[in-house]
Amino acid sequence: MKWTEGLDKLGIGLYLLLCLFAIANIYSVDPSSGTRQAVWFGVSLFVGLIIFMMRTKFFENMSGIIYIAGVLLLIGLFPFGKEVLGQKNWYKFGSFSLQPVEFAKIGTALMLANYISGPDFNIKNKKSMLTAFAIIGIPGLVVLMIPDVGSLLVFFAFVIALYREGLSGWLFGFIGIFASVFLVSLAINPWYIVGFIVLLTAVLIFMNMYRISWNIITILTIAGSVLVLSITALLSPTILEKLPKHQRERIEVLYKGEKAFRDTSGYNLLYSKTAIGSGGFWGKGYREGSVTRGKFVPEQSTDYIFCTVGEEWGFLGSALLVLCYAVYIGRIYYLAESQKSTFNRVFGYSFASILLIHFSINLGMVMGLFPTVGIPLPYFSYGGSSLLAFSMMTAIFFKLNYSDKNSLV
């Protein structure tokens, strides 16, 4: 048997392509950052090779220790972390910086996969579900206290993995409705929203009057849902006002446009859109972007790196990049679903969902469809911690997949 049998060449090839194209674009923005990113890419390949040489059981057996280490690193930020842009989420060692939340995601994915694959887990058992949500919620709570809202959103990726294992889809529906009510209430009089919620509930009850099994639980569920959504609508403006100024403006940009905040929270978005739009269909050419060369976008090599692609490679290059991500993430979902091991499947779904949320939110905020929350584009944004952590997850998953494909069981 050749050692290459079981290697997913498409997935590994796309990973390498994304990383190399990223280095080229970061170099276009800032040659020194591009050079450093190339060094981090080399380190990531070396670490990935070490991971590939490990026994598969290592990740299951050590998941608890890796998880606890990740949580402790997050907690350690409070006394030892360095504050950047209002968030104390970095360790600083001279010229070297480390963002531990990126590695805490790995530990959470491994721990969740280990617990769900164990004999005591039952998706219909409340104790099992509470334990699973506790595994997700503990690091999530620490991230919220930092506060790092962007990273907190990424932890919803693990709920997608739970959904694959049998979690009711009603939870996603309620979260979606809850978020929609909050956002719409910022643009429309909240009392109108409350009236609409009550009216819609009444219409739905009337249409399904004889299909509903009426009991005290049903009545309390309906009344509780209406009450929670109504309170959310009424409190939305107050919650917005209580947010720090920069966070409040990032949300208001969605309603008032970036030009209303061109000197503050809308500045990055304004020039990001300008760069993307100026690229046209074919783009201006590599290292020929006027917005990029003029360094008008402060975070262009990190969270706003996609606008460099839009300006220099145009719509065609941007579309091909999006297609690469879509195929890559879809490939991981496909491979995860084909795993014989529950541990491998859950980790694969967690990994793919983390990539999906990072990708969706990053592109959304660069194009003004989502508030700026500081989420990097996987493999693409400048940053050693992000590239190394994503590369480690990549190596772990493809190692699990390699062992699965060569397993006789």
Side-chain angles (χ1 to χ4, degrees), residues 13-329:
L14 286 171
Y15 160 74
L16 295 173
L17 178 63
L18 289 171
C19 290
L20 292 173
F21 189 43
I23 293 171
N25 281 274
I26 294 170
Y27 188 87
S28 178
V29 178
D30 181 8
S32 61
S33 295
T35 302
R36 288 194 294 270
Q37 191 76 349
V39 172
W40 275 110
F41 178 56
V43 172
S44 298
L45 289 179
F46 178 72
V47 173
L49 182 61
I50 293 175
I51 289 174
F52 222 82
M53 294 171 64
M54 293 178 176
R55 295 179 61 221
T56 307
K57 279 295 180 181
F58 171 86
F59 305 110
E60 293 186 54
N61 297 335
M62 297 296 291
S63 60
I65 295 176
I66 297 172
Y67 174 76
I68 293 172
V71 173
L72 290 177
L73 280 173
L74 289 175
I75 295 173
L77 287 171
F78 293 101
F80 304 114
K82 176 180 174 59
E83 186 171 311
V84 178
L85 299 177
Q87 296 176 345
K88 204 173 184 181
N89 53 2
W90 293 87
Y91 286 112
K92 188 76 172 177
F93 308 98
S95 60
F96 172 72
S97 297
L98 178 71
Q99 192 173 17
V101 68
E102 301 295 344
F103 300 95
K105 296 170 190 174
I106 303 175
T108 305
L110 289 171
M111 186 64 186
L112 185 66
N114 187 41
Y115 177 68
I116 292 177
S117 62
D120 297 329
F121 179 79
N122 183 348
I123 196 71
K124 297 181 180 179
N125 183 278
K126 290 183 179 179
K127 182 180 178 181
S128 293
M129 290 308 303
L130 287 174
T131 303
F133 278 112
I135 291 171
I136 302 169
I138 291 172
L141 180 61
V142 180
V143 169
L144 178 62
M145 294 170 64
I146 288 175
D148 187 352
V149 178
S151 295
L152 179 64
L153 292 173
V154 178
F155 276 82
F156 282 101
F158 301 113
V159 181
I160 298 176
L162 286 175
Y163 174 72
R164 164 58 185 85
E165 299 304 313
L167 180 67
S168 173
W170 283 104
L171 177 63
F172 290 95
F174 187 77
I175 291 174
I177 293 172
F178 183 87
S180 299
V181 168
F182 177 83
L183 293 173
V184 173
S185 298
L186 299 177
I188 302 175
N189 189 318
W191 285 105
Y192 293 163
I193 304 301
V194 172
F196 177 77
I197 291 171
V198 173
L199 178 61
L200 180 62
T201 303
V203 171
L204 291 175
I205 290 174
F206 178 78
M207 292 175 62
N208 298 276
M209 180 67 71
Y210 299 105
R211 300 179 185 177
I212 299 175
S213 178
W214 291 102
N215 52 54
I216 187 64
I217 295 178
T218 302
I219 295 172
L220 289 175
T221 300
I222 294 174
S225 299
V226 171
L227 181 63
V228 169
L229 291 174
S230 298
I231 292 174
T232 299
L234 295 174
L235 292 181
S236 292
T238 304
I239 294 173
L240 181 66
E241 289 300 320
K242 296 295 182 182
L243 292 176
K245 184 175 181 293
H246 70 283
Q247 292 182 356
R248 182 173 68 250
E249 287 185 351
R250 287 174 178 178
I251 295 176
E252 290 178 334
V253 165
L254 296 178
Y255 301 94
K256 300 178 182 179
E258 61 274 6
K259 292 183 179 179
F261 302 94
R262 63 179 306 146
D263 295 326
T264 53
S265 297
Y267 180 86
N268 274 10
L269 179 58
L270 177 63
Y271 281 100
S272 172
K273 284 185 172 182
T274 301
I276 294 173
S278 67
F281 186 83
W282 299 106
K284 296 178 179 178
Y286 183 58
R287 306 201 72 192
E288 296 296 331
S290 54
V291 176
T292 298
R293 304 305 300 159
K295 300 187 183 300
F296 288 101
V297 184
E299 304 296 333
Q300 192 166 355
S301 63
T302 54
D303 297 341
Y304 279 79
I305 187 64
F306 185 77
C307 70
T308 305
V309 180
E311 182 178 27
E312 297 188 349
W313 303 92
F315 173 80
L316 181 62
S318 301
L320 289 174
L321 178 62
V322 171
L323 179 62
C324 284
Y325 270 107
V327 173
Y328 180 64
I329 295 172

